[in-house]
Amino acid sequence: MPHDRDSLLKIKNITKSFGGLKALDKVSLEVSTGSLHGIIGPNGSGKTTLFNALSGLIHVDAGAIWFAGEDITGLPPNLRSKKGLARTFQQVRLFQSLTVRQNILASHLEHQNQPLVRRMVMRSAMRESRVDEVIRLFGLTGYSDALCSSLPYGIQKITEMARAVVSGPKLLLLDEPVNGMNVEEVVRVRDLFKAMRHELGVTILLIEHNMSLVMTECEIVTVLSSGLNLAEGAPQAVSADPKVIEAYLGKRGASYVA
């Protein structure tokens, strides 16, 4: 597949079945460099299966995944990560017995191309500076030395995003990042989207059920239904599409557009 310099991720006709259930059925999409691209769809539509395929946690049965001009369809998760693809999960996966800073630092060490022993003993000013930068950017300075087990759920989810970007990924897959957050925390995440894109240069592919967030923050929205591409386009166009309204948004779909 030829590489478009404006395209960071290209997915072409990927298919994945579990037994007799086709979770993804020739799904295709393209994510432009620097964009915030949303994926929506009813429960069971294939969204998380798609993220698992992109991050290498599952192998697709057919189709191709291209990242930064390279076919990564058969690569394992660790090699995809080294090439600049990071993700978060629906459920928090922090080390609860470690502090916020230790969690972020552990992620940074994990992604350095150094032998394990050297990574553990190395006290690089550059490494510490990077961790400090991310802690500041994510508004976590006041929580830096707190154990993650003691933090509100919303702060834990923000910490997980910070862990994902400390290694400097090109593309960040966010799986329901504001699920379980209060209104103030959702506003904070909106600001973090801008910071990640404009200060860190991260492209974001987002799965989210918060339609207000998706419809106001994403430039492009892809809709999945029963493992199929149902629609794609600007939020205003997608929210007005009769197929989308029927499958997911309901009669109030247009009201989500600011």
Side-chain angles (χ1 to χ4, degrees):
M1 182 182 294
H3 179 50
D4 181 347
R5 287 184 300 175
D6 293 331
S7 176
L8 182 61
L9 177 72
K10 286 187 177 183
I11 306 163
K12 185 68 173 177
N13 292 331
I14 64 171
T15 298
K16 179 63 182 180
S17 294
F18 297 101
L21 174 65
K22 190 167 284 188
L24 298 173
D25 189 358
K26 296 183 179 179
V27 170
S28 298
L29 65 85
E30 187 170 333
V31 178
S32 298
T33 301
S35 67
L36 176 49
H37 189 126
I39 300 177
I40 65 173
N43 289 331
S45 60
K47 303 183 299 298
T48 296
T49 300
L50 175 60
F51 266 25
N52 288 340
L54 294 178
S55 54
L57 295 181
I58 60 174
H59 294 292
V60 297
D61 301 326
I65 302 169
W66 289 73
F67 179 63
E70 181 179 351
D71 187 346
I72 65 167
T73 311
L75 290 184
N78 64 313
L79 294 185
R80 298 186 193 208
S81 177
K82 289 182 184 300
K83 291 182 180 299
L85 194 155
R87 75 168 291 182
T88 65
F89 294 83
Q90 291 182 24
Q91 302 299 322
V92 170
R93 296 192 176 188
L94 297 172
F95 298 109
Q96 294 291 325
S97 61
L98 298 182
T99 67
V100 167
R101 182 180 182 81
Q102 288 170 335
N103 266 277
I104 298 171
L105 180 59
S107 179
H108 193 29
L109 289 169
E110 179 184 355
H111 288 90
Q112 290 180 358
N113 293 317
Q114 299 281 349
L116 178 60
V117 174
R118 180 172 175 78
R119 280 185 273 151
M120 294 302 294
V121 301
M122 185 174 59
R123 301 296 297 176
S124 165
M126 182 179 297
R127 182 190 72 202
E128 298 291 341
S129 176
R130 173 65 177 182
V131 172
D132 289 338
E133 176 192 8
V134 170
I135 288 174
R136 174 196 60 78
L137 188 67
F138 280 74
L140 294 170
T141 303
Y143 301 99
S144 180
D145 296 323
L147 293 179
C148 286
S149 59
S150 71
L151 297 177
Y153 185 70
I155 299 300
Q156 291 193 40
K157 296 207 76 170
I158 290 172
T159 300
E160 188 161 46
M161 282 186 262
R163 285 187 69 217
V165 302
V166 72
S167 60
K170 299 173 184 175
L171 176 66
L172 177 60
L173 310 179
L174 293 176
D175 195 347
E176 298 191 32
V178 303
N179 180 43
M181 288 188 175
N182 60 38
V183 174
E184 291 77 12
E185 290 165 342
V186 172
V187 170
R188 187 170 178 177
V189 170
R190 290 179 190 265
D191 293 336
L192 287 175
F193 287 163
K194 295 180 177 66
M196 285 189 280
R197 296 169 67 194
H198 301 307
E199 295 190 41
L200 301 179
V202 179
T203 300
I204 299 173
L205 182 60
L206 167 77
I207 293 173
E208 185 53 62
H209 286 293
N210 184 317
M211 289 297 100
S212 176
L213 182 73
V214 171
M215 294 298 167
T216 58
E217 300 300 319
C218 296
E219 289 99 5
I220 297 292
V221 177
T222 298
V223 187
L224 298 181
S225 180
S226 300
L228 294 162
N229 284 106
L230 182 64
E232 183 173 280
Q236 293 85 352
V238 165
S239 65
D241 189 318
K243 299 190 303 294
V244 176
I245 294 171
E246 180 181 358
Y248 187 61
L249 294 179
K251 294 181 180 180
R252 296 181 301 135
S255 68
Y256 289 117
V257 180

